[in-house]
Amino acid sequence: MSQIQTIFKNMSWLFISQIIASICAFIWTILMARYLGVTKYGIFGFATSLTSILMVTTDLGINTHIVRHVATDYDSAPKYLGNAIPLKSIYGIGTMILTFIILIMMKTDELTLTVTLLFTIEMVIKTLLNLLNGTFQAFEEGKYQGIENTLLHVILLIFILITIFGDFDIMGIAISYILANAIAFFYAYYALEKHVTKPKFELDLRFCKEITRLSIPFAIISLLYIIYYSIDIVMLTHMVGNYASGIYNATYKLISILTLFYSVYSAVIFPVMSKFFNDDESLLLISFEKSIKYLMLVIIPIATATVFYSNDIIHLIYGHKYDAASSVLCILIWTVCLLFVSGATTSLLNASHEEVSVTKIYAIAAVFNIVLNIFLIPQFSYNGAAITTVLSDVLIVIIQCYVIYRLGHRPNKKLYYDLIKILIGSAVLGIALYFLNLNMWVALPVGIIIYFAAVYLLRFFDDDDKYVIKEILGKN
């Protein structure tokens, strides 16, 4: 099986899984937002955002380090996993204590404190689950991660439905997350031992110290990355209140559903890029170029259409209570486009052992994000937080472009022409939607036809793309 076919096989499993997961997430996002109301949904957003930031103290970048190492040395997996699982469990206990101290210092109310601590437990289980998923990625066994991901989201949806119909309130929601992640973890561990590799449990302190030391750059990257994507909700809650964070969080959850599709691509392509860096750097750059090309082909027209129908989307999903979120959606949708570019570039740099450069980039962006939020949130509330997120992403992409050029990873000029064609096709789509003024449901199929007709006429697909398609179909 060729590398392209292997990538497609893994992506197929994960993509199908992610479609199911996104449908489940879409359903529970609507139900939870309507059930909890804006204020309690703001508490939910605060709890998940704070625990996402503090998750770094449990993971410490160990997952990324292990994926990169095991992808090039399968035999090392039992020792790495056998030490990492107990080590991360110990770090998880420390994270729970740290979370409690921070909540006390912030003088949060009893409900917010309890809910956040419950989500901290869920986060500790999730980081252990991510370690197993990372191992599936390293072994290019996307099938088992796909099954686990589907199981997690279906069970979580069932538990949330039980919570809503049983009226167990926000506490029931938090417990649902804990139980669903625990069940998914047990399945993933079973699949890992039966089909992939068996961890050799021990607690080699010297080895644990070494992998922690080597993982720290990834931990810093993760922390800075999460800060500029999660700190806004924490700051909104602290500076404006739960209502503003509820409006922002409702929009952010919709955006997160789109970014999940990028996570599928990233999970598959990062181990492959790590191999290419060792074997053939020209293939590394080609995989990066194709990543940008295909990701932008999909997301830019989606962002364009979202701007035109943001009011309809928010009203359909959340109802009139969340009408204020439409302006936030118009702004935040562009972060997805920028995330796809910066995410692919980060995978390239990490695979090239340039994690220190990535750390510096995200450090600059995190500081920029916090400072800008301090000025914009008091003035523009949730819209200010959204503007800050977009500008932070723009800054990251600009700096990353400078870094990859300095390292000699200069994409082929054809990539720029392809991006221009995508922008032209999206502009044609936007103009058509503006003048046709169609109902949203009618605009969906019409828009797809108009956009792909435009990029086809612009001769977007070249011989390399046709070769990739033939490889996937096994016709070469």
Side-chain angles (χ1 to χ4, degrees):
M1 183 180 290
S2 71
Q3 187 68 67
I4 290 176
Q5 288 173 318
T6 301
I7 291 173
F8 182 73
K9 182 193 75 171
N10 284 300
M11 281 196 66
S12 296
W13 275 102
L14 293 177
F15 188 71
I16 293 170
S17 164
Q18 200 56 63
I19 290 175
I20 297 171
S22 295
I23 292 172
C24 291
F26 183 72
I27 294 171
W28 79 54
T29 295
I30 297 171
L31 295 176
M32 281 173 53
R34 289 174 177 261
Y35 171 67
L36 294 175
V38 178
T39 301
K40 283 188 178 178
Y41 201 59
I43 294 174
F44 169 79
F46 170 82
T48 53
S49 297
L50 183 62
T51 53
S52 293
I53 294 172
L54 295 176
M55 182 171 68
V56 176
T57 59
T58 298
D59 179 49
L60 287 176
I62 292 171
N63 287 357
T64 306
H65 171 69
I66 288 177
V67 172
R68 190 177 72 178
H69 186 88
V70 172
T72 57
D73 182 10
Y74 290 165
D75 293 336
S76 66
K79 183 173 180 64
Y80 270 90
L81 290 172
N83 281 275
I85 291 174
L87 178 64
K88 286 163 70 72
S89 299
I90 294 171
Y91 288 156
I93 295 171
T95 300
M96 292 180 65
I97 297 171
L98 176 62
T99 304
F100 180 75
I101 293 172
I102 290 173
L103 291 170
I104 294 296
M105 292 176 63
M106 293 180 69
K107 298 180 180 179
T108 56
D109 60 84
E110 184 178 346
L111 178 61
T112 302
L113 186 147
T114 305
V115 170
T116 305
L117 287 177
L118 287 173
F119 273 105
T120 305
I121 297 172
E122 181 258 350
M123 175 270 296
V124 173
I125 299 171
K126 181 181 291 183
T127 191
L128 291 171
L129 179 59
N130 289 341
L131 175 63
L132 304 187
N133 284 335
T135 307
F136 292 139
Q137 295 164 21
F139 278 86
E140 298 183 54
E141 293 287 354
K143 172 182 177 180
Y144 304 110
Q145 184 180 352
I147 295 172
E148 170 271 311
N149 191 47
T150 302
L151 181 68
L152 169 62
H153 285 79
V154 170
I155 290 176
L156 180 53
L157 176 59
I158 292 171
F159 284 158
I160 288 174
L161 287 171
I162 293 172
T163 297
I164 292 173
F165 286 107
D167 197 21
F168 298 125
D169 206 41
I170 193 170
M171 299 286 285
I173 297 290
I175 293 171
S176 296
Y177 272 80
I178 294 172
L179 294 176
N181 276 273
I183 293 170
F185 173 79
F186 287 124
Y187 165 77
Y189 186 82
Y190 167 79
L192 181 78
E193 277 204 335
K194 186 174 179 62
H195 302 289
V196 182
T197 187
K198 187 173 182 178
K200 183 181 178 182
F201 283 105
E202 58 181 349
L203 196 59
D204 185 334
L205 295 180
R206 181 175 296 179
F207 183 75
C208 288
K209 182 179 179 181
E210 181 64 12
I211 62 174
T212 300
R213 182 185 66 82
L214 293 173
S215 300
I216 288 298
F218 295 117
I220 297 172
I221 293 170
S222 297
L223 175 61
L224 297 172
Y225 176 85
I226 293 170
I227 281 176
Y228 88 83
Y229 273 114
S230 298
I231 197 66
D232 40 15
I233 295 180
V234 176
M235 293 179 72
L236 271 170
T237 302
H238 185 68
M239 298 171 70
V240 186
N242 286 326
Y243 180 85
S245 61
I247 291 293
Y248 187 84
N249 188 46
T251 310
Y252 202 83
K253 290 300 179 184
L254 290 180
I255 298 298
S256 297
I257 293 172
L258 283 176
T259 60
L260 287 174
F261 286 99
Y262 168 74
S263 68
V264 171
Y265 192 87
S266 178
V268 173
I269 207 67
F270 177 61
V272 175
M273 282 184 167
S274 297
K275 289 182 179 180
F276 285 164
F277 179 73
N278 286 338
D279 302 336
D280 189 337
E281 287 196 41
S282 64
L283 290 177
L284 172 65
L285 190 56
I286 291 172
S287 65
F288 167 72
E289 292 172 356
K290 292 299 181 184
S291 297
I292 297 291
K293 179 176 180 177
Y294 298 146
L295 290 170
M296 291 300 99
L297 174 67
V298 175
I299 194 57
I300 291 180
I302 290 177
T304 302
T306 299
V307 171
F308 281 92
Y309 293 98
S310 61
N311 283 318
D312 295 325
I313 293 169
I314 292 297
H315 178 64
L316 174 68
I317 295 172
Y318 295 122
H320 286 301
K321 289 182 181 178
Y322 291 85
D323 280 350
S326 63
S327 61
V328 181
L329 180 59
C330 285
I331 301 168
L332 275 185
I333 188 63
W334 298 105
T335 67
V336 184
C337 303
L338 295 163
L339 172 64
F340 281 16
V341 175
S342 65
T345 309
T346 297
S347 293
L348 171 67
L349 293 173
N350 281 337
S352 304
H353 296 252
E354 287 292 335
E355 54 267 22
V356 174
S357 297
V358 177
T359 303
K360 293 177 180 177
I361 293 170
Y362 280 94
I364 294 170
V367 173
F368 177 81
N369 182 281
I370 293 171
V371 172
L372 204 57
N373 267 323
I374 291 172
F375 287 101
L376 293 185
I377 287 178
Q379 295 292 323
F380 304 106
S381 188
Y382 34 77
N383 287 327
I387 293 169
T388 296
T389 300
V390 173
L391 293 178
S392 298
D393 286 341
V394 171
L395 179 64
I396 285 175
V397 170
I398 291 172
I399 300 175
Q400 283 181 330
C401 289
Y402 167 76
V403 172
I404 62 173
Y405 267 78
R406 181 174 56 81
L407 292 172
H409 295 312
R410 301 189 176 185
N412 191 297
K413 289 182 179 179
K414 192 176 182 307
L415 174 63
Y416 301 112
Y417 296 134
D418 288 334
L419 292 178
I420 291 172
K421 291 176 183 179
I422 293 172
L423 291 173
I424 293 173
S426 298
V428 170
L429 171 64
I431 293 169
L433 293 177
Y434 177 79
F435 283 105
L436 293 175
N437 194 26
L438 300 171
N439 173 275
M440 181 175 67
W441 298 110
V442 177
L444 182 62
V446 172
I448 292 172
I449 294 170
I450 291 173
Y451 173 69
F452 280 102
V455 294
Y456 177 78
L457 292 173
L458 291 167
R459 297 182 179 179
F460 177 81
F461 298 101
D462 56 23
D463 291 338
D464 290 338
D465 300 318
K466 295 174 184 176
Y467 175 82
V468 169
I469 294 170
K470 288 181 179 179
E471 271 291 297
I472 290 170
L473 298 175
K475 292 185 177 180
N476 279 334

